[in-house]
Amino acid sequence: MAREITDGFDRWQDDQVVDMAAQAQALTARAIVVTLFDGTLGTATVATMVQDMSAITAGIYTHALLPAAYTRLPLPAHRRYSYA
């Protein structure tokens, strides 16, 4: 996990503006996927799983807190959550 997070930090450039919430979520998701599957997945699969974890993490709060009728609307975020 530490290696993944360090690699993520190393990709940042001096004077670069970053969305810390998005970066923290992506770094955490990548560290979890890579750690759980211990290098057995290809790069494309890891990238897909990281995107899916981000969609699930973002959608889980919406689905837990808002009325079910709202979460059934065919909005892009709801579709990503359902697909993931």
Side-chain angles (χ1 to χ4, degrees), residues 20-66:
M20 286 305 297
Q23 290 293 316
Q25 184 178 24
L27 286 171
T28 302
R30 182 164 177 76
I32 290 169
V33 169
V34 171
T35 301
L36 286 175
F37 294 98
D38 195 27
T40 60
L41 301 174
T43 305
T45 303
V46 169
T48 299
M49 289 183 73
V50 167
Q51 287 177 345
D52 288 348
M53 284 186 65
S54 295
I56 290 168
T57 302
I60 206 161
Y61 296 111
T62 300
H63 284 75
L65 299 174
L66 296 176

